[in-house]
Amino acid sequence: ADLIGIEPRHDLIRFDLPGFGLTGPSPDGIYSIESYVDTVLAVVDTLGVQRFILAGNSLGGYVAWATAVLHPERVERLVLVDAAGYPFQSQSVPLAFRIARTPLLNVLMRDVLPRSVVERSLRDVYGDPTKVTPDLVDRYFDLATRAGNRAALVARFDQTTPGSLAERVPEIQAPTLILWGGKD
C-alpha cells in the first residue's frame, strides 16, 4: 500500500519524576541529574522503547538534554521548553524556589508551606497571572504538600545545579526545538 502522506504514529509517554506530583520522593533521596536520566531510561526500557523523542519543561528540559548528552544513541529528537540546567542568571525566581535555597527557611518549608506561597510562586512563573485560578493553586498545593515532596524540592536544589554537563551541550546532535517565551 502507498503510505505517502500518512503520518507515522507516535505514542505519548508522560510521567512525573521522583519528587514531583504523585510519584513522591525518591526512596534513596538522590535527585542528581544523572539519577533523573536513569529514571527516564528505566521507564522507556520497561516499556521496550529503544529510541524516542524527548520533551521536557524546566527541570524536565534539563533531564531531556542531559539524557541526549549521556545517551545520544537513544534520543532521536529533543523539545526543550524553558529548559533549566544551563548556567545563566535568572531574572525572576519563584518564591518557593528562593525559600528552598535559603538555609533555615528551607528546613521550615519541609513542615510548613502556606498556600499563599504556592499561589505567589505560580503567579511568578505564569506570563499571564490571570491564568492562575484557585483550582490550579489547589492542585499545585496538594502536590507540593504530598508527603516528602517539600523535602525533595530542597534536596533537588542541592543536587541538580548546573555542572559539567553544560559544557557538553554542543555535543548534542539530535534535532532540537527550543521554546522560550518572552516572559520566561
mmCIF file of all heavy atoms in Angstrom, residues 9-40:
data_model
loop_
_atom_site.group_PDB
_atom_site.id
_atom_site.type_symbol
_atom_site.label_atom_id
_atom_site.label_comp_id
_atom_site.label_asym_id
_atom_site.label_seq_id
_atom_site.Cartn_x
_atom_site.Cartn_y
_atom_site.Cartn_z
ATOM 1 N N ARG A 9 2.693 6.971 13.433
ATOM 2 C CA ARG A 9 2.030 7.027 14.730
ATOM 3 C C ARG A 9 3.080 7.117 15.832
ATOM 4 O O ARG A 9 4.092 6.430 15.796
ATOM 5 C CB ARG A 9 1.191 5.762 14.908
ATOM 6 C CG ARG A 9 0.418 5.737 16.180
ATOM 7 C CD ARG A 9 -0.433 4.462 16.225
ATOM 8 N NE ARG A 9 -0.724 4.156 17.585
ATOM 9 C CZ ARG A 9 -0.038 3.304 18.343
ATOM 10 N NH1 ARG A 9 0.972 2.656 17.845
ATOM 11 N NH2 ARG A 9 -0.382 3.098 19.588
ATOM 12 N N HIS A 10 2.826 7.967 16.802
ATOM 13 C CA HIS A 10 3.705 8.089 17.959
ATOM 14 C C HIS A 10 2.879 7.913 19.218
ATOM 15 O O HIS A 10 1.783 8.446 19.337
ATOM 16 C CB HIS A 10 4.378 9.471 18.010
ATOM 17 C CG HIS A 10 5.335 9.713 16.888
ATOM 18 N ND1 HIS A 10 6.585 9.148 16.850
ATOM 19 C CD2 HIS A 10 5.225 10.446 15.758
ATOM 20 C CE1 HIS A 10 7.204 9.536 15.752
ATOM 21 N NE2 HIS A 10 6.397 10.324 15.064
ATOM 22 N N ASP A 11 3.392 7.157 20.151
ATOM 23 C CA ASP A 11 2.756 7.026 21.453
ATOM 24 C C ASP A 11 3.333 8.086 22.371
ATOM 25 O O ASP A 11 4.532 8.391 22.314
ATOM 26 C CB ASP A 11 3.022 5.640 22.058
ATOM 27 C CG ASP A 11 2.330 4.534 21.281
ATOM 28 O OD1 ASP A 11 1.202 4.768 20.811
ATOM 29 O OD2 ASP A 11 2.924 3.453 21.142
ATOM 30 N N LEU A 12 2.505 8.629 23.232
ATOM 31 C CA LEU A 12 2.945 9.622 24.201
ATOM 32 C C LEU A 12 3.106 8.943 25.552
ATOM 33 O O LEU A 12 2.183 8.287 26.040
ATOM 34 C CB LEU A 12 1.928 10.762 24.305
ATOM 35 C CG LEU A 12 2.226 11.821 25.358
ATOM 36 C CD1 LEU A 12 3.503 12.576 25.011
ATOM 37 C CD2 LEU A 12 1.054 12.772 25.476
ATOM 38 N N ILE A 13 4.271 9.089 26.129
ATOM 39 C CA ILE A 13 4.552 8.556 27.461
ATOM 40 C C ILE A 13 4.830 9.763 28.347
ATOM 41 O O ILE A 13 5.737 10.548 28.072
ATOM 42 C CB ILE A 13 5.778 7.623 27.443
ATOM 43 C CG1 ILE A 13 5.565 6.478 26.463
ATOM 44 C CG2 ILE A 13 6.094 7.130 28.858
ATOM 45 C CD1 ILE A 13 6.835 5.732 26.110
ATOM 46 N N ARG A 14 4.044 9.917 29.394
ATOM 47 C CA ARG A 14 4.207 11.053 30.302
ATOM 48 C C ARG A 14 4.238 10.517 31.724
ATOM 49 O O ARG A 14 3.441 9.663 32.089
ATOM 50 C CB ARG A 14 3.040 12.015 30.138
ATOM 51 C CG ARG A 14 3.169 13.290 30.939
ATOM 52 C CD ARG A 14 1.978 14.197 30.721
ATOM 53 N NE ARG A 14 0.853 13.876 31.561
ATOM 54 C CZ ARG A 14 0.748 14.223 32.843
ATOM 55 N NH1 ARG A 14 1.699 14.877 33.433
ATOM 56 N NH2 ARG A 14 -0.314 13.903 33.530
ATOM 57 N N PHE A 15 5.179 11.020 32.509
ATOM 58 C CA PHE A 15 5.272 10.571 33.894
ATOM 59 C C PHE A 15 5.909 11.665 34.739
ATOM 60 O O PHE A 15 6.598 12.543 34.227
ATOM 61 C CB PHE A 15 6.074 9.263 34.005
ATOM 62 C CG PHE A 15 7.488 9.366 33.491
ATOM 63 C CD1 PHE A 15 8.541 9.637 34.355
ATOM 64 C CD2 PHE A 15 7.762 9.202 32.145
ATOM 65 C CE1 PHE A 15 9.842 9.737 33.882
ATOM 66 C CE2 PHE A 15 9.058 9.302 31.659
ATOM 67 C CZ PHE A 15 10.102 9.568 32.537
ATOM 68 N N ASP A 16 5.644 11.606 36.041
ATOM 69 C CA ASP A 16 6.267 12.525 36.991
ATOM 70 C C ASP A 16 7.578 11.916 37.460
ATOM 71 O O ASP A 16 7.650 10.725 37.786
ATOM 72 C CB ASP A 16 5.371 12.743 38.218
ATOM 73 C CG ASP A 16 4.157 13.603 37.919
ATOM 74 O OD1 ASP A 16 4.262 14.491 37.054
ATOM 75 O OD2 ASP A 16 3.114 13.401 38.559
ATOM 76 N N LEU A 17 8.603 12.732 37.520
ATOM 77 C CA LEU A 17 9.888 12.303 38.051
ATOM 78 C C LEU A 17 9.806 12.182 39.575
ATOM 79 O O LEU A 17 8.921 12.779 40.198
ATOM 80 C CB LEU A 17 10.969 13.328 37.677
ATOM 81 C CG LEU A 17 11.314 13.410 36.195
ATOM 82 C CD1 LEU A 17 12.130 14.655 35.908
ATOM 83 C CD2 LEU A 17 12.069 12.162 35.752
ATOM 84 N N PRO A 18 10.715 11.441 40.193
ATOM 85 C CA PRO A 18 10.730 11.371 41.658
ATOM 86 C C PRO A 18 10.816 12.767 42.278
ATOM 87 O O PRO A 18 11.578 13.623 41.819
ATOM 88 C CB PRO A 18 11.992 10.557 41.959
ATOM 89 C CG PRO A 18 12.167 9.698 40.736
ATOM 90 C CD PRO A 18 11.724 10.580 39.588
ATOM 91 N N GLY A 19 9.987 12.971 43.302
ATOM 92 C CA GLY A 19 9.941 14.262 43.980
ATOM 93 C C GLY A 19 8.908 15.207 43.399
ATOM 94 O O GLY A 19 8.772 16.338 43.843
ATOM 95 N N PHE A 20 8.172 14.748 42.394
ATOM 96 C CA PHE A 20 7.150 15.557 41.757
ATOM 97 C C PHE A 20 5.811 14.829 41.785
ATOM 98 O O PHE A 20 5.760 13.606 41.706
ATOM 99 C CB PHE A 20 7.501 15.836 40.284
ATOM 100 C CG PHE A 20 8.605 16.814 40.092
ATOM 101 C CD1 PHE A 20 9.907 16.377 39.955
ATOM 102 C CD2 PHE A 20 8.349 18.175 40.060
ATOM 103 C CE1 PHE A 20 10.944 17.284 39.771
ATOM 104 C CE2 PHE A 20 9.372 19.089 39.882
ATOM 105 C CZ PHE A 20 10.676 18.635 39.736
ATOM 106 N N GLY A 21 4.759 15.620 41.822
ATOM 107 C CA GLY A 21 3.414 15.094 41.642
ATOM 108 C C GLY A 21 3.100 13.910 42.520
ATOM 109 O O GLY A 21 3.450 13.859 43.695
ATOM 110 N N LEU A 22 2.445 12.932 41.919
ATOM 111 C CA LEU A 22 2.009 11.752 42.659
ATOM 112 C C LEU A 22 3.096 10.693 42.782
ATOM 113 O O LEU A 22 2.924 9.718 43.502
ATOM 114 C CB LEU A 22 0.766 11.151 41.994
ATOM 115 C CG LEU A 22 -0.456 12.070 41.971
ATOM 116 C CD1 LEU A 22 -1.600 11.417 41.208
ATOM 117 C CD2 LEU A 22 -0.895 12.428 43.380
ATOM 118 N N THR A 23 4.219 10.868 42.085
ATOM 119 C CA THR A 23 5.313 9.905 42.182
ATOM 120 C C THR A 23 5.897 9.907 43.588
ATOM 121 O O THR A 23 6.287 8.874 44.106
ATOM 122 C CB THR A 23 6.411 10.206 41.142
ATOM 123 O OG1 THR A 23 5.828 10.118 39.847
ATOM 124 C CG2 THR A 23 7.562 9.230 41.248
ATOM 125 N N GLY A 24 5.955 11.072 44.202
ATOM 126 C CA GLY A 24 6.506 11.163 45.551
ATOM 127 C C GLY A 24 8.019 11.175 45.554
ATOM 128 O O GLY A 24 8.661 11.168 44.501
ATOM 129 N N PRO A 25 8.593 11.217 46.731
ATOM 130 C CA PRO A 25 10.044 11.360 46.839
ATOM 131 C C PRO A 25 10.790 10.103 46.390
ATOM 132 O O PRO A 25 10.245 8.998 46.387
ATOM 133 C CB PRO A 25 10.263 11.610 48.334
ATOM 134 C CG PRO A 25 9.094 10.985 49.000
ATOM 135 C CD PRO A 25 7.945 11.145 48.045
ATOM 136 N N SER A 26 12.046 10.306 46.030
ATOM 137 C CA SER A 26 12.907 9.187 45.669
ATOM 138 C C SER A 26 13.226 8.393 46.936
ATOM 139 O O SER A 26 13.620 8.977 47.942
ATOM 140 C CB SER A 26 14.206 9.721 45.051
ATOM 141 O OG SER A 26 15.099 8.673 44.805
ATOM 142 N N PRO A 27 13.059 7.080 46.915
ATOM 143 C CA PRO A 27 13.331 6.278 48.114
ATOM 144 C C PRO A 27 14.763 6.435 48.630
ATOM 145 O O PRO A 27 15.000 6.371 49.824
ATOM 146 C CB PRO A 27 13.074 4.834 47.665
ATOM 147 C CG PRO A 27 12.209 4.950 46.467
ATOM 148 C CD PRO A 27 12.554 6.259 45.816
ATOM 149 N N ASP A 28 15.719 6.670 47.715
ATOM 150 C CA ASP A 28 17.111 6.800 48.141
ATOM 151 C C ASP A 28 17.528 8.249 48.405
ATOM 152 O O ASP A 28 18.659 8.510 48.799
ATOM 153 C CB ASP A 28 18.057 6.148 47.125
ATOM 154 C CG ASP A 28 17.971 6.775 45.733
ATOM 155 O OD1 ASP A 28 17.340 7.834 45.563
ATOM 156 O OD2 ASP A 28 18.537 6.177 44.798
ATOM 157 N N GLY A 29 16.615 9.204 48.183
ATOM 158 C CA GLY A 29 16.923 10.611 48.432
ATOM 159 C C GLY A 29 17.889 11.227 47.440
ATOM 160 O O GLY A 29 18.411 12.313 47.668
ATOM 161 N N ILE A 30 18.124 10.565 46.325
ATOM 162 C CA ILE A 30 19.064 11.070 45.317
ATOM 163 C C ILE A 30 18.277 11.759 44.206
ATOM 164 O O ILE A 30 17.378 11.165 43.613
ATOM 165 C CB ILE A 30 19.941 9.935 44.745
ATOM 166 C CG1 ILE A 30 20.787 9.335 45.870
ATOM 167 C CG2 ILE A 30 20.821 10.454 43.613
ATOM 168 C CD1 ILE A 30 21.592 8.119 45.456
ATOM 169 N N TYR A 31 18.648 13.020 43.956
ATOM 170 C CA TYR A 31 17.974 13.829 42.939
ATOM 171 C C TYR A 31 18.980 14.451 41.971
ATOM 172 O O TYR A 31 18.743 15.514 41.416
ATOM 173 C CB TYR A 31 17.135 14.932 43.600
ATOM 174 C CG TYR A 31 16.056 14.365 44.495
ATOM 175 C CD1 TYR A 31 16.249 14.243 45.862
ATOM 176 C CD2 TYR A 31 14.855 13.925 43.956
ATOM 177 C CE1 TYR A 31 15.267 13.698 46.675
ATOM 178 C CE2 TYR A 31 13.870 13.380 44.760
ATOM 179 C CZ TYR A 31 14.085 13.270 46.121
ATOM 180 O OH TYR A 31 13.118 12.727 46.913
ATOM 181 N N SER A 32 20.079 13.786 41.752
ATOM 182 C CA SER A 32 21.066 14.298 40.806
ATOM 183 C C SER A 32 20.493 14.210 39.399
ATOM 184 O O SER A 32 19.578 13.421 39.127
ATOM 185 C CB SER A 32 22.363 13.484 40.885
ATOM 186 O OG SER A 32 22.136 12.167 40.404
ATOM 187 N N ILE A 33 21.055 14.988 38.503
ATOM 188 C CA ILE A 33 20.573 14.958 37.125
ATOM 189 C C ILE A 33 20.815 13.577 36.516
ATOM 190 O O ILE A 33 19.980 13.063 35.767
ATOM 191 C CB ILE A 33 21.196 16.100 36.276
ATOM 192 C CG1 ILE A 33 20.383 16.310 35.004
ATOM 193 C CG2 ILE A 33 22.651 15.853 35.971
ATOM 194 C CD1 ILE A 33 18.975 16.772 35.237
ATOM 195 N N GLU A 34 21.911 12.944 36.877
ATOM 196 C CA GLU A 34 22.198 11.607 36.365
ATOM 197 C C GLU A 34 21.160 10.593 36.867
ATOM 198 O O GLU A 34 20.772 9.688 36.128
ATOM 199 C CB GLU A 34 23.617 11.173 36.774
ATOM 200 C CG GLU A 34 24.724 11.986 36.130
ATOM 201 C CD GLU A 34 25.038 13.311 36.838
ATOM 202 O OE1 GLU A 34 24.399 13.623 37.880
ATOM 203 O OE2 GLU A 34 25.901 14.040 36.343
ATOM 204 N N SER A 35 20.701 10.774 38.101
ATOM 205 C CA SER A 35 19.667 9.896 38.637
ATOM 206 C C SER A 35 18.354 10.076 37.873
ATOM 207 O O SER A 35 17.650 9.096 37.583
ATOM 208 C CB SER A 35 19.459 10.186 40.124
ATOM 209 O OG SER A 35 18.419 9.393 40.637
ATOM 210 N N TYR A 36 18.036 11.324 37.535
ATOM 211 C CA TYR A 36 16.832 11.571 36.746
ATOM 212 C C TYR A 36 16.956 10.966 35.340
ATOM 213 O O TYR A 36 15.995 10.432 34.794
ATOM 214 C CB TYR A 36 16.521 13.060 36.671
ATOM 215 C CG TYR A 36 15.816 13.597 37.895
ATOM 216 C CD1 TYR A 36 16.258 14.734 38.535
ATOM 217 C CD2 TYR A 36 14.675 12.974 38.399
ATOM 218 C CE1 TYR A 36 15.602 15.235 39.647
ATOM 219 C CE2 TYR A 36 14.016 13.464 39.503
ATOM 220 C CZ TYR A 36 14.480 14.602 40.131
ATOM 221 O OH TYR A 36 13.817 15.083 41.226
ATOM 222 N N VAL A 37 18.145 11.054 34.748
ATOM 223 C CA VAL A 37 18.369 10.420 33.438
ATOM 224 C C VAL A 37 18.164 8.912 33.563
ATOM 225 O O VAL A 37 17.510 8.293 32.709
ATOM 226 C CB VAL A 37 19.781 10.753 32.899
ATOM 227 C CG1 VAL A 37 20.131 9.874 31.691
ATOM 228 C CG2 VAL A 37 19.881 12.231 32.536
ATOM 229 N N ASP A 38 18.669 8.322 34.636
ATOM 230 C CA ASP A 38 18.468 6.884 34.862
ATOM 231 C C ASP A 38 16.979 6.551 34.976
ATOM 232 O O ASP A 38 16.532 5.500 34.498
ATOM 233 C CB ASP A 38 19.201 6.430 36.133
ATOM 234 C CG ASP A 38 20.717 6.427 35.977
ATOM 235 O OD1 ASP A 38 21.219 6.497 34.832
ATOM 236 O OD2 ASP A 38 21.402 6.360 37.022
ATOM 237 N N THR A 39 16.205 7.450 35.601
ATOM 238 C CA THR A 39 14.759 7.226 35.718
ATOM 239 C C THR A 39 14.106 7.213 34.341
ATOM 240 O O THR A 39 13.278 6.343 34.049
ATOM 241 C CB THR A 39 14.116 8.315 36.602
ATOM 242 O OG1 THR A 39 14.675 8.237 37.917
ATOM 243 C CG2 THR A 39 12.609 8.150 36.679
ATOM 244 N N VAL A 40 14.464 8.169 33.491
ATOM 245 C CA VAL A 40 13.917 8.211 32.126
ATOM 246 C C VAL A 40 14.226 6.900 31.406
ATOM 247 O O VAL A 40 13.345 6.276 30.807
ATOM 248 C CB VAL A 40 14.474 9.410 31.334
ATOM 249 C CG1 VAL A 40 14.126 9.305 29.846
ATOM 250 C CG2 VAL A 40 13.970 10.721 31.908
#
